Amino acid sequence: MALSDLNPVKRNEEGIAAVLGILKQTLGERFQTGEAIRAQHAHTTTYIPTQAPDGVAFVETTAEVQEIVRACATHRVPVIAFGVGSSLEGHTNAPGGGISIDTSRMNRILSVNPQDLDCTVEPGVTREDLNRHLRDTGLFFPIDPGANASLGGMAATRASGTNAVRYGTMRENVLSLTAVMADGEAVTTGKRAKKSSAGYDLTRLLVGSEGTLGIITALTLKLQGIPQAISGGVCPFPSLEVACNAVIATIQMGIPVARIELVNALQMRAMKNYSKLDYPESPCLFVEFHGSDAGVAEQAETFGMIAEENGGGPFLWTSVAEERTKLWKARHDAYWSSLTLRPGAKGLSTDVCVPISRFAECVTETEADIAEMGLVAPIVGHAGDGNFHVLVLMDVDNPQEIALAEKFVARLNMRAIAMEGTCTGEHGIGQGKIGFLRHELGHGVDIMRTIKQALDPLNIMNPGKILPGTEH
């Protein structure tokens, strides 16, 4: 089944024409309808076809977002929030047309409260922007997806990254937020207190809602102190299974690892070529520890012993910042390095997450699947929390290759769900994984649909995403 058939959204031509006229008058040059800029605001970092909006609004305030949403509600026109466009499951596509709200100009850091370890930012601030701003305070924001994503987008997709094993995901690191709802009203979901028992948890409802319930216009985030000492390194293993077993042992022993990332042999080959790393072309774990000088040294030595007991090593670690930066830059560039394995191909990036006790089993079965299907598909993983990614390289103009890739992804998703895991640990559902949500959550999907219909009765907020058949 084509993605466009999976969850179609009818175009409202009359309403779209009316809203285009209104926004051109109210926003002037900050409202664009050129073909190139519209396509840019629906591009996907995968094979999912681009479905462009009818116009792009470059907003600067919450009030402007409210004005646009009210106009779209009046005329029943879809509204799609846009950060930097780094999402991976077609989140920014506009299957029924409509208006893309670009939040890149809402990029102010509104406040930093060092004593309380929190800050408030607008949604267009990126994670790298925020950490540059925080550098002199001794604080940092730890959530680090591979892309330099906007913080609003990261909250909307419940993103995480390499630090999640120690610091959690966006779910744990958003204290409160402000969002414009489908009726144009702005709601602030909480205060800066570290905990609250006041009513429904609207923050958690909106974090991960992928713009289908509201558009985030401000976030209050938890911050962390920059560790006194950081050590990290790379440890090779003779097989993927023993590398995964070393991860399980490390987590179960309670070692406070900050990052523990898995790459299979194919991914390591790509990283060696692209990032000029000097490590064996075998399955490897990239590991990092945060704490005191003595603490990180002890943790590194303990991990080295675990690796050796599982047939791995030697674990080569360093506390030199420049060497660690090169290592993690290579890890964050894994997507781009993978593309060199098959020049001219595009990547379908997918992820699943399973309980840590099933991690080795899930990863090794997946690698066997890749070999059986004859795919070129490297594996990387946020191994410490049971989350891993596969990038299937394919010719997007070849229907047979697309069908084979979709068959592989379906088997991977169902494997993870069967192991009491999830079809997506951090990418989100978007358009690409709509077909698997009911397999995972059953009647929970109907509860989600009830919430969606209550908060967005006209279905204008990013329609065609997350929930199958929500057009009404």
Side-chain angles (χ1 to χ4, degrees):
M1 179 182 293
L3 284 167
S4 58
D5 297 329
L6 189 61
N7 199 356
V9 179
K10 289 182 180 178
R11 285 182 60 83
N12 174 7
E13 299 290 357
E14 184 177 344
I16 289 170
V19 170
L20 291 178
I22 292 169
L23 297 185
K24 190 63 180 175
Q25 184 174 12
T26 56
L27 293 175
E29 292 302 311
R30 289 193 289 116
F31 183 67
Q32 297 291 319
T33 56
E35 182 178 351
I37 202 162
R38 290 189 296 111
Q40 177 189 347
H41 282 74
H43 82 280
T44 57
T45 318
T46 181
Y47 79 106
I48 299 175
T50 293
Q51 297 168 310
D54 295 281
V56 179
F58 292 88
V59 294
E60 296 179 351
T61 65
T62 296
E64 286 184 346
V65 176
Q66 291 180 274
E67 187 175 3
I68 293 166
V69 170
R70 285 173 179 145
C72 288
T74 298
H75 296 280
R76 298 198 172 199
V77 172
V79 183
I80 304 97
F82 185 92
V84 299
S86 59
S87 56
L88 294 163
E89 295 292 350
H91 296 90
T92 62
N93 262 345
I99 305 302
S100 174
I101 294 185
D102 185 312
T103 61
S104 60
R105 297 190 186 189
M106 295 184 70
N107 58 1
R108 294 180 301 160
I109 296 171
L110 301 174
S111 66
V112 176
N113 305 292
Q115 292 179 316
D116 296 320
L117 298 177
D118 69 44
C119 68
T120 300
V121 302
E122 291 184 325
V125 176
T126 69
R127 64 178 184 86
E128 291 182 4
D129 290 338
L130 178 57
N131 279 325
R132 275 192 292 268
H133 183 86
L134 294 172
R135 190 174 296 154
D136 294 335
T137 67
L139 304 174
F140 79 115
F141 183 68
I143 311 305
D144 68 333
N148 183 25
S150 68
L151 291 162
M154 287 168 60
T157 55
R158 204 183 297 127
S160 53
T162 64
N163 280 317
V165 63
R166 175 162 181 150
Y167 298 105
T169 72
M170 289 299 284
R171 180 183 66 186
E172 292 80 32
N173 285 279
V174 178
L175 285 171
S176 68
L177 53 82
T178 299
V180 175
M181 308 305 285
D183 59 0
E185 292 297 316
V187 59
T188 298
T189 62
K191 303 298 184 182
R192 291 197 300 115
K194 288 296 186 284
K195 63 180 182 179
S196 171
S197 296
Y200 297 147
D201 192 342
L202 299 180
T203 304
R204 300 299 172 271
L205 178 63
L206 289 167
V207 171
S209 64
E210 301 181 15
T212 63
L213 301 179
I215 296 176
I216 296 169
T217 60
L219 309 96
T220 297
L221 306 169
K222 293 182 183 178
L223 302 177
Q224 301 288 335
I226 295 174
Q228 174 192 352
I230 301 175
S231 71
V234 175
C235 187
F237 289 84
S239 73
L240 201 59
E241 183 176 8
V242 296
C244 292
N245 287 334
V247 172
I248 294 170
T250 301
I251 299 303
Q252 291 179 342
M253 281 189 65
I255 297 174
V257 61
R259 290 166 159 170
I260 184 164
E261 296 287 297
L262 172 74
V263 300
N264 72 345
L266 183 61
Q267 181 66 69
M268 181 54 81
R269 181 197 306 170
M271 294 170 76
K272 280 168 64 71
N273 293 338
Y274 185 84
S275 300
K276 310 305 179 188
L277 295 183
D278 186 22
Y279 294 102
E281 196 173 296
S282 67
C284 289
L285 293 177
F286 289 39
V287 189
E288 186 169 277
F289 305 97
H290 296 177
S292 65
D293 290 322
V296 298
E298 180 182 0
Q299 292 159 24
E301 290 170 7
T302 304
F303 172 77
M305 290 188 288
I306 292 173
E308 185 177 358
E309 289 171 1
N310 282 274
F315 176 43
L316 305 175
W317 63 278
T318 179
S319 57
V320 177
E322 292 78 11
E323 295 177 16
R324 289 187 294 98
T325 298
K326 179 181 178 181
L327 179 66
W328 292 107
K329 178 70 163 59
R331 171 60 186 87
H332 283 309
D333 285 344
Y335 176 88
W336 306 109
S337 68
S338 297
L339 297 180
T340 66
L341 295 169
R342 188 178 173 187
K346 289 192 176 180
L348 186 166
S349 181
T350 190
D351 85 310
V352 297
C353 188
V354 295
I356 192 69
S357 62
R358 307 297 297 271
F359 185 66
E361 180 184 3
C362 193
V363 173
T364 53
E365 287 186 16
T366 300
E367 193 170 54
D369 242 10
I370 292 169
E372 179 185 329
M373 293 185 176
L375 299 171
V376 180
I379 294 174
V380 300
H382 307 315
D385 49 20
N387 182 203
F388 68 95
H389 306 255
V390 184
L391 185 70
V392 182
L393 298 170
M394 61 183 180
D395 178 358
V396 296
D397 296 321
N398 185 328
Q400 291 179 321
E401 289 200 20
I402 290 177
L404 186 63
E406 290 182 334
K407 179 181 178 181
F408 166 77
V409 171
R411 288 174 63 167
L412 173 59
N413 290 338
M414 295 306 291
R415 179 181 302 116
I417 292 169
M419 292 182 178
E420 299 184 89
T422 174
C423 66
T424 176
E426 59 185 12
H427 288 183
I429 296 295
Q431 292 176 304
K433 297 205 174 190
I434 283 178
F436 302 97
L437 193 60
R438 186 171 289 279
H439 289 288
E440 183 173 326
L441 297 176
H443 180 56
V445 173
D446 301 315
I447 304 301
M448 292 182 187
R449 182 176 289 111
T450 299
I451 294 170
K452 167 73 169 172
Q453 291 174 345
L455 296 182
D456 181 20
L458 302 178
N459 193 30
I460 65 168
M461 305 301 281
N462 208 11
K465 317 295 168 58
I466 301 184
L467 302 173
T470 53
E471 184 179 3
H472 52 274

